[in-house]
Amino acid sequence: MNHPRPQRPPFSRRAALAGLAGAALAGTTAFSANASAATANSYRRTIRFATFNASLNRGTEGALVKDLSTPDNQQARNAAETIQRVDPDVLVINEFDYDEDGTAARLFLRNYLAVGQNGAKPVRYPFRFTAPVNTGVASGVDLDGKNGAVTTPGSDAYGQDAFGYGWFPGQYGMLVLSKYPIDVRAARTFQRFLWKDMPGNVMPPGYYSEEARAIFRLSSKSHWDLPIRLGPGRSSTVHFLVSHPTPPSFDGPEDRNGRRNHDEIRLWADYIGGRRRSAYLYDDKGVWGGLRPGARFVIAGDLNADPHDGDSYDKAILQLLDHEAVNLPATPPAARGGVEAARLQGGANATHTGNPAYDTADFNDNAPGNLRVDHVIPSRGLVPAGNGIFWPTPDDPLYRLVGGGADVPTSDHRLVWQDVRLG
């Protein structure tokens, strides 16, 4: 739904914060119409990790496969061009509908990424990973306390009673693409971990029935630990920890989605927090515990949590940004496009306290406004290098890929990237 964009009044604190972005922006890459990043034909010193909620989701099962079966779907072409312009080595795509045969992933690689879009160079990913998610999977229980348990796909009522909101199984799924081998045998998924099994969880008291609490899965999509082999030996492995927590909105005073978002983020905080802190976790194969102490990792995804603005419960993302196991860059990924969008669009953006240069999503200007919700977070043992957000300004030829918010040619999220070197 499109909304009118009122003219924005002058910035106050947010304007001052935007001024501080100059140093960060000076170090980011400008993606002009003919720019492309270096490819990774062999092991190289700097690796580019990225996240992109590409909005490659559809309203009915099988529709994405149909759209990608030809090379002329404009939104998919835009998504592919965005990826080609940044050329990440390892990428998680959120909101990519899952199908059991992986057909949509193969078609996107063949018909879109392997074809140069508007002068951008083709990009090839020989390794990929996708797996089932909880969105659109019927729980068989009346989770929202309305209409009884709805088990027939294709409606909002069905989505409300699914393990994760979706009108059909696999809607809003995830896809990981990599130029480096993924150790699939060592991969761990946490699709079926139960919320009640997290000690000290913040599940809303008194909201869910005992029947619902007994079967409620924590992950609204899934949590994946994918070991990426950047070279020979364990010392060259980086664990790509990806997820897509539920938005902390679309609920009521019980704040069920905000609380779930908080604990979905907490899962990673505990997973990287050492043996004692992660001992309660179990994956879908029945293996207990978290990440091996000292292992390198990158946490990435649309985490639906801004450190300053929006509806997050108890500043959920700080569980990761302030974590002792991470090694943040001197400045977060930034883009001038976010500053310009906040200035031009006004509305809720005028009241925000976070720096608009760090925004990664162009949301409704009335509420919540543009937010920093997409994150790429490296661990200790990795040295952060360049980073950025693909958000061109209106005077850039590539602005056509992001639009002004009233129109959404690709996605309401921006691709975010972080380069790292092995420490």
Side-chain angles (χ1 to χ4, degrees), residues 301-382:
D302 171 5
L303 303 186
N304 273 313
D306 184 297
H308 301 287
D309 305 302
D311 301 320
S312 289
Y313 178 87
D314 198 22
K315 298 184 177 179
I317 194 60
L318 296 185
Q319 297 176 101
L320 296 178
L321 297 181
D322 291 345
H323 201 290
E324 63 275 5
V326 309
N327 185 25
L328 297 179
T331 55
R336 292 188 179 90
V339 178
E340 281 294 291
R343 182 182 66 83
L344 294 170
Q345 294 168 7
N349 297 296
T351 67
H352 285 181
T353 60
N355 191 331
Y358 305 149
D359 286 345
T360 68
D362 191 350
F363 291 151
N364 188 298
D365 297 332
N366 295 321
N370 303 341
L371 296 174
R372 176 188 172 193
V373 295
D374 305 270
H375 300 268
V376 184
I377 304 172
S379 72
R380 290 187 177 184
L382 296 175

Coordinates of all heavy atoms in Angstrom, one line a residue, residues 301-382:
G301 N 21.4 -11.1 8.5 CA 20.0 -11.3 8.2 C 19.2 -10.0 8.4 O 19.7 -9.1 9.0
D302 N 18.0 -10.1 8.0 CA 17.0 -9.1 8.4 C 16.6 -9.5 9.8 O 15.7 -10.3 9.9 CB 15.9 -9.1 7.3 CG 14.7 -8.2 7.8 OD1 14.8 -7.5 8.8 OD2 13.6 -8.3 7.1
L303 N 17.1 -8.8 10.8 CA 16.8 -9.2 12.1 C 15.7 -8.3 12.7 O 15.3 -8.5 13.9 CB 18.1 -9.0 13.0 CG 19.3 -9.8 12.6 CD1 20.5 -9.6 13.6 CD2 19.0 -11.3 12.3
N304 N 15.1 -7.5 11.9 CA 13.9 -6.7 12.3 C 14.1 -6.0 13.7 O 13.2 -6.0 14.5 CB 12.7 -7.6 12.3 CG 12.0 -7.7 11.0 OD1 11.8 -6.7 10.3 ND2 11.8 -8.9 10.5
A305 N 15.3 -5.4 13.9 CA 15.6 -4.8 15.2 C 16.5 -3.6 14.9 O 17.6 -3.9 14.4 CB 16.1 -5.8 16.2
D306 N 16.1 -2.5 15.4 CA 16.9 -1.2 15.3 C 17.4 -0.9 16.7 O 16.7 -1.0 17.7 CB 16.1 -0.1 14.7 CG 16.8 1.2 14.5 OD1 17.3 1.8 15.5 OD2 16.9 1.6 13.4
P307 N 18.7 -0.5 16.8 CA 19.2 -0.2 18.2 C 18.6 1.0 18.8 O 18.8 1.2 20.1 CB 20.7 -0.1 18.0 CG 20.9 0.3 16.5 CD 19.8 -0.4 15.8
H308 N 18.0 1.9 18.1 CA 17.5 3.2 18.6 C 16.0 3.4 18.4 O 15.4 3.9 19.3 CB 18.3 4.3 18.0 CG 19.7 4.3 18.2 ND1 20.3 4.5 19.4 CD2 20.8 4.0 17.3 CE1 21.6 4.4 19.3 NE2 21.9 4.1 18.1
D309 N 15.5 3.0 17.3 CA 14.1 3.4 16.9 C 13.3 2.1 16.6 O 13.8 1.0 16.6 CB 14.2 4.3 15.7 CG 15.0 5.6 15.9 OD1 14.7 6.3 16.9 OD2 16.0 5.8 15.2
G310 N 12.0 2.3 16.4 CA 11.1 1.2 16.1 C 10.5 0.6 17.3 O 10.5 1.2 18.4
D311 N 10.0 -0.6 17.2 CA 9.2 -1.2 18.2 C 9.9 -2.4 18.9 O 9.2 -3.2 19.6 CB 7.9 -1.7 17.6 CG 7.1 -0.6 17.0 OD1 7.0 0.5 17.6 OD2 6.5 -0.9 15.9
S312 N 11.2 -2.5 18.9 CA 11.9 -3.6 19.5 C 11.6 -3.7 21.0 O 11.4 -2.7 21.7 CB 13.4 -3.5 19.3 OG 13.7 -3.7 17.9
Y313 N 11.6 -5.0 21.4 CA 11.4 -5.2 22.9 C 12.8 -5.2 23.6 O 13.7 -5.9 23.2 CB 10.8 -6.6 23.1 CG 10.6 -7.0 24.5 CD1 9.4 -6.6 25.2 CD2 11.5 -7.8 25.2 CE1 9.2 -7.0 26.5 CE2 11.3 -8.2 26.5 CZ 10.2 -7.8 27.2 OH 10.0 -8.2 28.5
D314 N 12.9 -4.3 24.5 CA 14.1 -4.2 25.4 C 15.4 -4.1 24.5 O 16.4 -4.7 24.8 CB 14.2 -5.4 26.3 CG 15.1 -5.2 27.5 OD1 15.4 -4.0 27.8 OD2 15.6 -6.2 28.0
K315 N 15.3 -3.2 23.4 CA 16.5 -3.0 22.6 C 17.2 -4.3 22.2 O 18.4 -4.5 22.4 CB 17.5 -2.1 23.3 CG 16.9 -0.7 23.5 CD 17.9 0.3 24.1 CE 17.3 1.7 24.3 NZ 18.2 2.6 24.9
A316 N 16.4 -5.2 21.6 CA 16.8 -6.6 21.4 C 18.1 -6.7 20.6 O 18.9 -7.6 21.0 CB 15.7 -7.3 20.6
I317 N 18.4 -5.9 19.7 CA 19.6 -6.1 18.8 C 20.9 -5.8 19.6 O 22.0 -6.3 19.3 CB 19.6 -5.2 17.6 CG1 20.6 -5.6 16.6 CG2 19.7 -3.7 17.9 CD1 20.5 -7.0 16.1
L318 N 20.8 -5.1 20.7 CA 22.0 -4.9 21.6 C 22.5 -6.2 22.2 O 23.7 -6.2 22.6 CB 21.7 -3.8 22.7 CG 21.3 -2.4 22.2 CD1 21.2 -1.5 23.4 CD2 22.4 -1.9 21.2
Q319 N 21.7 -7.2 22.2 CA 22.2 -8.5 22.7 C 23.3 -9.0 21.8 O 24.2 -9.7 22.2 CB 21.1 -9.5 22.6 CG 19.9 -9.2 23.6 CD 18.8 -10.2 23.4 OE1 18.7 -11.2 24.2 NE2 18.0 -10.1 22.4
L320 N 23.4 -8.5 20.5 CA 24.4 -8.9 19.6 C 25.4 -7.8 19.4 O 26.6 -8.0 19.5 CB 23.8 -9.3 18.2 CG 22.9 -10.5 18.2 CD1 22.4 -10.8 16.8 CD2 23.7 -11.8 18.7
L321 N 25.0 -6.6 19.3 CA 25.9 -5.5 19.0 C 26.8 -5.2 20.2 O 27.9 -4.7 20.0 CB 25.1 -4.2 18.7 CG 24.3 -4.2 17.4 CD1 23.6 -2.9 17.2 CD2 25.1 -4.6 16.2
D322 N 26.4 -5.5 21.4 CA 27.2 -5.3 22.6 C 27.8 -6.6 23.1 O 28.4 -6.7 24.2 CB 26.3 -4.8 23.8 CG 25.9 -3.3 23.5 OD1 26.4 -2.7 22.6 OD2 25.0 -2.8 24.2
H323 N 27.7 -7.7 22.3 CA 28.2 -9.0 22.7 C 29.7 -9.0 22.8 O 30.4 -8.5 21.9 CB 27.7 -10.1 21.8 CG 27.7 -11.5 22.4 ND1 28.8 -12.2 22.6 CD2 26.6 -12.3 22.7 CE1 28.5 -13.4 23.1 NE2 27.2 -13.4 23.2
E324 N 30.3 -9.7 23.8 CA 31.7 -9.7 23.9 C 32.4 -10.6 22.8 O 33.6 -10.4 22.6 CB 32.1 -10.3 25.3 CG 31.7 -11.7 25.5 CD 30.3 -11.9 26.0 OE1 29.5 -10.8 26.1 OE2 29.8 -13.0 26.4
A325 N 31.7 -11.4 22.1 CA 32.3 -12.3 21.1 C 32.3 -11.6 19.7 O 32.9 -12.2 18.8 CB 31.5 -13.6 21.0
V326 N 31.7 -10.4 19.5 CA 31.7 -9.8 18.2 C 32.8 -8.8 18.1 O 33.3 -8.3 19.1 CB 30.4 -9.2 17.9 CG1 29.2 -10.2 18.1 CG2 30.1 -7.9 18.6
N327 N 33.2 -8.5 16.9 CA 34.2 -7.4 16.6 C 33.6 -6.5 15.5 O 33.7 -6.7 14.3 CB 35.5 -8.1 16.1 CG 36.6 -7.1 15.8 OD1 36.6 -6.0 16.5 ND2 37.5 -7.4 15.0
L328 N 32.9 -5.4 16.0 CA 32.3 -4.5 15.1 C 33.2 -3.6 14.4 O 34.3 -3.3 14.9 CB 31.3 -3.7 15.9 CG 30.1 -4.4 16.6 CD1 29.3 -3.4 17.4 CD2 29.3 -5.1 15.6
P329 N 32.9 -3.2 13.2 CA 33.7 -2.2 12.5 C 33.7 -0.9 13.2 O 32.8 -0.6 14.1 CB 33.1 -2.1 11.1 CG 31.7 -2.5 11.4 CD 31.7 -3.5 12.4
A330 N 34.7 0.0 12.9 CA 34.7 1.3 13.6 C 33.4 2.1 13.4 O 33.0 2.8 14.2 CB 35.9 2.1 13.1
T331 N 32.9 2.0 12.2 CA 31.6 2.6 11.9 C 30.7 1.5 11.2 O 31.2 0.7 10.4 CB 31.7 3.8 11.0 OG1 32.4 3.5 9.8 CG2 32.4 4.9 11.7
P332 N 29.4 1.5 11.4 CA 28.5 0.6 10.8 C 28.4 0.8 9.3 O 28.8 1.9 8.8 CB 27.2 0.8 11.5 CG 27.4 1.6 12.7 CD 28.7 2.4 12.4
P333 N 27.9 -0.1 8.5 CA 27.6 0.1 7.1 C 26.7 1.3 7.0 O 25.8 1.5 7.8 CB 26.9 -1.2 6.7 CG 27.4 -2.2 7.6 CD 27.6 -1.5 8.9
A334 N 27.0 2.1 6.0 CA 26.3 3.4 5.8 C 26.1 3.7 4.4 O 26.7 3.2 3.5 CB 27.1 4.5 6.5
A335 N 25.1 4.7 4.1 CA 24.9 5.1 2.7 C 24.2 6.5 2.8 O 23.4 6.8 3.7 CB 23.9 4.2 2.0
R336 N 24.6 7.3 1.8 CA 24.0 8.7 1.8 C 22.5 8.6 1.4 O 21.7 9.5 1.7 CB 24.8 9.5 0.7 CG 26.2 9.9 1.2 CD 26.8 10.9 0.2 NE 28.1 11.3 0.7 CZ 29.3 10.7 0.3 NH1 29.2 9.6 -0.5 NH2 30.4 11.1 0.8
G337 N 22.2 7.5 0.7 CA 20.8 7.3 0.3 C 19.8 7.3 1.4 O 18.7 7.8 1.3
G338 N 20.3 6.7 2.5 CA 19.4 6.7 3.7 C 19.2 8.1 4.3 O 18.1 8.4 4.8
V339 N 20.2 8.9 4.3 CA 20.1 10.3 4.8 C 19.1 11.0 3.9 O 18.2 11.8 4.4 CB 21.5 10.9 4.8 CG1 21.4 12.4 5.3 CG2 22.4 10.2 5.7
E340 N 19.3 10.9 2.6 CA 18.4 11.6 1.7 C 17.0 11.2 1.8 O 16.0 12.0 1.8 CB 18.9 11.5 0.2 CG 20.1 12.3 -0.1 CD 19.6 13.8 -0.1 OE1 18.9 14.2 -1.0 OE2 20.1 14.5 0.8
A341 N 16.8 9.9 1.9 CA 15.4 9.3 2.1 C 14.7 9.9 3.3 O 13.6 10.3 3.3 CB 15.4 7.8 2.1
A342 N 15.4 9.9 4.4 CA 14.8 10.4 5.7 C 14.5 11.9 5.6 O 13.5 12.3 6.0 CB 15.8 10.1 6.8
R343 N 15.4 12.6 4.9 CA 15.2 14.1 4.7 C 13.9 14.3 3.9 O 13.1 15.2 4.2 CB 16.4 14.7 4.1 CG 16.3 16.2 4.0 CD 17.5 16.8 3.3 NE 17.7 16.4 2.0 CZ 17.0 17.0 0.9 NH1 16.2 18.0 1.1 NH2 17.2 16.5 -0.3
L344 N 13.8 13.6 2.8 CA 12.8 13.9 1.8 C 11.4 13.3 2.3 O 10.4 13.9 2.0 CB 13.1 13.3 0.5 CG 14.3 13.9 -0.3 CD1 14.7 13.0 -1.5 CD2 14.0 15.3 -0.7
Q345 N 11.4 12.2 3.0 CA 10.2 11.5 3.3 C 9.5 12.1 4.6 O 8.3 12.0 4.8 CB 10.4 10.0 3.5 CG 10.8 9.4 2.1 CD 11.4 8.0 2.3 OE1 11.3 7.4 3.4 NE2 11.9 7.4 1.2
G346 N 10.3 12.6 5.6 CA 9.7 13.1 6.8 C 9.0 12.2 7.6 O 9.3 11.0 7.8
G347 N 7.8 12.6 8.2 CA 7.0 11.7 9.0 C 7.8 11.3 10.3 O 8.4 12.0 10.9
A348 N 7.7 10.0 10.6 CA 8.3 9.4 11.7 C 9.8 9.6 11.7 O 10.4 9.6 12.8 CB 7.9 7.9 11.9
N349 N 10.4 9.7 10.5 CA 11.8 9.8 10.4 C 12.3 11.1 11.2 O 13.5 11.1 11.7 CB 12.2 9.9 9.0 CG 11.9 8.7 8.2 OD1 12.5 7.6 8.5 ND2 11.0 8.8 7.2
A350 N 11.5 12.1 11.3 CA 11.9 13.3 11.9 C 12.1 13.2 13.4 O 12.8 14.0 14.1 CB 10.9 14.4 11.6
T351 N 11.5 12.2 14.0 CA 11.5 12.0 15.4 C 12.6 10.9 15.9 O 12.8 10.7 17.0 CB 10.2 11.5 16.0 OG1 9.9 10.2 15.5 CG2 9.1 12.5 15.6
H352 N 13.2 10.3 14.9 CA 14.1 9.2 15.2 C 15.4 9.7 15.8 O 15.8 10.9 15.6 CB 14.5 8.4 13.9 CG 13.4 7.5 13.5 ND1 13.6 6.7 12.4 CD2 12.2 7.2 14.0 CE1 12.5 6.0 12.2 NE2 11.6 6.3 13.2
T353 N 16.1 8.9 16.6 CA 17.3 9.3 17.3 C 18.5 8.6 16.6 O 19.7 9.1 16.8 CB 17.3 9.0 18.8 OG1 17.1 7.5 18.9 CG2 16.2 9.7 19.5
G354 N 18.3 7.5 15.9 CA 19.4 6.9 15.2 C 19.9 7.6 14.0 O 19.1 8.4 13.4
N355 N 21.1 7.4 13.6 CA 21.7 8.1 12.4 C 21.0 7.5 11.1 O 21.1 6.3 10.9 CB 23.2 7.8 12.4 CG 23.9 8.7 11.3 OD1 23.3 9.1 10.3 ND2 25.2 9.0 11.6
P356 N 20.4 8.4 10.3 CA 19.8 7.8 9.1 C 20.7 7.3 8.1 O 20.3 6.5 7.2 CB 19.0 9.1 8.5 CG 19.8 10.2 9.1 CD 20.3 9.8 10.4
A357 N 22.0 7.6 8.2 CA 23.0 7.0 7.3 C 23.1 5.5 7.5 O 23.5 4.8 6.5 CB 24.4 7.6 7.5
Y358 N 22.7 5.0 8.6 CA 22.8 3.6 8.9 C 21.4 2.8 8.7 O 21.4 1.6 8.9 CB 23.2 3.4 10.4 CG 24.5 4.1 10.8 CD1 24.7 4.5 12.1 CD2 25.5 4.3 9.9 CE1 25.8 5.2 12.5 CE2 26.7 4.9 10.2 CZ 26.8 5.4 11.5 OH 28.0 6.0 11.9
D359 N 20.4 3.6 8.3 CA 19.1 2.9 8.0 C 19.3 1.9 6.8 O 20.1 2.1 5.9 CB 18.1 3.9 7.5 CG 17.6 4.8 8.7 OD1 17.8 4.4 9.9 OD2 16.9 5.8 8.5
T360 N 18.6 0.8 6.9 CA 18.7 -0.3 5.9 C 17.3 -0.6 5.3 O 17.3 -1.5 4.4 CB 19.3 -1.5 6.5 OG1 18.4 -2.1 7.4 CG2 20.6 -1.3 7.2
A361 N 16.3 0.0 5.8 CA 14.9 -0.3 5.2 C 14.1 1.0 5.1 O 14.1 1.8 6.0 CB 14.2 -1.3 6.2
D362 N 13.3 1.0 4.1 CA 12.5 2.2 3.8 C 11.0 1.8 4.1 O 10.3 1.3 3.2 CB 12.6 2.6 2.3 CG 12.0 3.9 2.0 OD1 11.3 4.5 2.8 OD2 12.2 4.4 0.9
F363 N 10.6 2.1 5.3 CA 9.3 1.7 5.8 C 8.3 2.8 5.8 O 8.7 4.0 5.5 CB 9.4 1.1 7.2 CG 10.1 -0.2 7.3 CD1 10.8 -0.6 8.5 CD2 10.1 -1.2 6.3 CE1 11.5 -1.8 8.6 CE2 10.7 -2.4 6.4 CZ 11.4 -2.7 7.5
N364 N 7.1 2.5 6.2 CA 6.0 3.5 6.2 C 6.5 4.8 7.0 O 6.9 4.7 8.1 CB 4.8 2.9 6.8 CG 3.6 3.8 6.7 OD1 3.5 4.9 7.2 ND2 2.6 3.3 6.0
D365 N 6.3 5.9 6.4 CA 6.7 7.2 7.0 C 5.9 7.6 8.2 O 6.4 8.4 9.0 CB 6.7 8.3 5.9 CG 7.7 8.1 4.8 OD1 8.7 7.4 5.0 OD2 7.4 8.5 3.7
N366 N 4.7 7.1 8.3 CA 3.9 7.4 9.5 C 4.4 6.6 10.7 O 4.5 7.2 11.8 CB 2.4 7.1 9.2 CG 1.8 8.1 8.1 OD1 2.2 9.2 8.1 ND2 1.0 7.5 7.3
A367 N 4.6 5.4 10.5 CA 5.2 4.5 11.5 C 5.5 3.2 10.8 O 4.8 2.7 10.0 CB 4.2 4.3 12.6
P368 N 6.7 2.7 11.1 CA 7.7 3.1 12.1 C 8.8 4.1 11.5 O 9.7 4.5 12.2 CB 8.4 1.8 12.5 CG 8.4 1.0 11.2 CD 7.1 1.3 10.5
G369 N 8.7 4.4 10.2 CA 9.8 5.2 9.6 C 10.9 4.3 9.1 O 10.8 3.0 9.3
N370 N 11.9 4.8 8.5 CA 13.1 4.1 8.0 C 13.9 3.6 9.2 O 14.1 4.3 10.2 CB 13.9 4.9 7.1 CG 13.1 5.4 5.9 OD1 12.0 4.9 5.6 ND2 13.6 6.4 5.2
L371 N 14.4 2.4 9.1 CA 15.1 1.7 10.3 C 16.3 1.0 9.9 O 16.5 0.6 8.7 CB 14.1 0.8 11.0 CG 12.9 1.3 11.6 CD1 12.0 0.2 12.2 CD2 13.2 2.3 12.8
R372 N 17.2 0.8 10.8 CA 18.4 -0.1 10.7 C 18.1 -1.4 11.2 O 18.2 -1.7 12.4 CB 19.6 0.6 11.5 CG 20.8 -0.3 11.5 CD 21.8 0.4 12.4 NE 23.0 -0.5 12.6 CZ 23.9 -0.3 13.6 NH1 23.8 0.7 14.5 NH2 25.0 -1.1 13.7
V373 N 17.6 -2.3 10.3 CA 17.2 -3.6 10.8 C 17.9 -4.8 10.1 O 17.8 -5.9 10.6 CB 15.6 -3.8 10.5 CG1 14.8 -2.9 11.3 CG2 15.3 -3.7 9.0
D374 N 18.7 -4.5 9.1 CA 19.5 -5.6 8.4 C 20.9 -5.5 8.9 O 21.5 -4.4 8.8 CB 19.4 -5.4 6.9 CG 17.9 -5.4 6.4 OD1 17.4 -6.4 6.1 OD2 17.3 -4.3 6.4
H375 N 21.5 -6.6 9.3 CA 22.8 -6.5 10.0 C 23.7 -7.6 9.5 O 23.3 -8.7 9.1 CB 22.6 -6.8 11.5 CG 21.7 -5.8 12.2 ND1 22.2 -4.6 12.8 CD2 20.4 -5.7 12.4 CE1 21.2 -3.9 13.3 NE2 20.1 -4.6 13.0
V376 N 25.0 -7.2 9.4 CA 26.1 -8.2 9.2 C 27.1 -7.9 10.3 O 27.8 -6.9 10.3 CB 26.7 -8.0 7.8 CG1 27.8 -9.0 7.5 CG2 25.7 -8.0 6.7
I377 N 27.3 -8.9 11.2 CA 28.0 -8.7 12.4 C 29.2 -9.7 12.5 O 29.0 -10.9 12.7 CB 27.1 -8.9 13.6 CG1 25.9 -7.9 13.5 CG2 27.9 -8.7 14.9 CD1 24.8 -8.2 14.6
P378 N 30.4 -9.3 12.3 CA 31.6 -10.2 12.4 C 32.0 -10.5 13.8 O 31.8 -9.7 14.7 CB 32.7 -9.5 11.6 CG 32.3 -8.0 11.8 CD 30.8 -7.9 12.0
S379 N 32.7 -11.6 14.0 CA 33.2 -12.1 15.3 C 34.6 -11.6 15.5 O 35.3 -11.1 14.6 CB 33.1 -13.6 15.4 OG 34.2 -14.2 14.5
R380 N 35.1 -11.8 16.7 CA 36.5 -11.7 17.0 C 37.2 -12.8 16.2 O 36.6 -13.9 15.9 CB 36.7 -12.0 18.5 CG 36.3 -10.9 19.4 CD 36.7 -11.2 20.9 NE 36.3 -10.1 21.7 CZ 36.6 -10.0 23.0 NH1 37.3 -11.0 23.6 NH2 36.2 -9.0 23.8
G381 N 38.4 -12.5 15.8 CA 39.1 -13.4 14.9 C 39.0 -13.0 13.5 O 39.6 -13.5 12.6
L382 N 38.0 -12.1 13.2 CA 37.9 -11.5 11.9 C 38.1 -10.0 12.0 O 37.7 -9.4 13.0 CB 36.4 -11.7 11.4 CG 36.0 -13.2 11.1 CD1 34.5 -13.2 10.8 CD2 36.9 -13.8 10.1

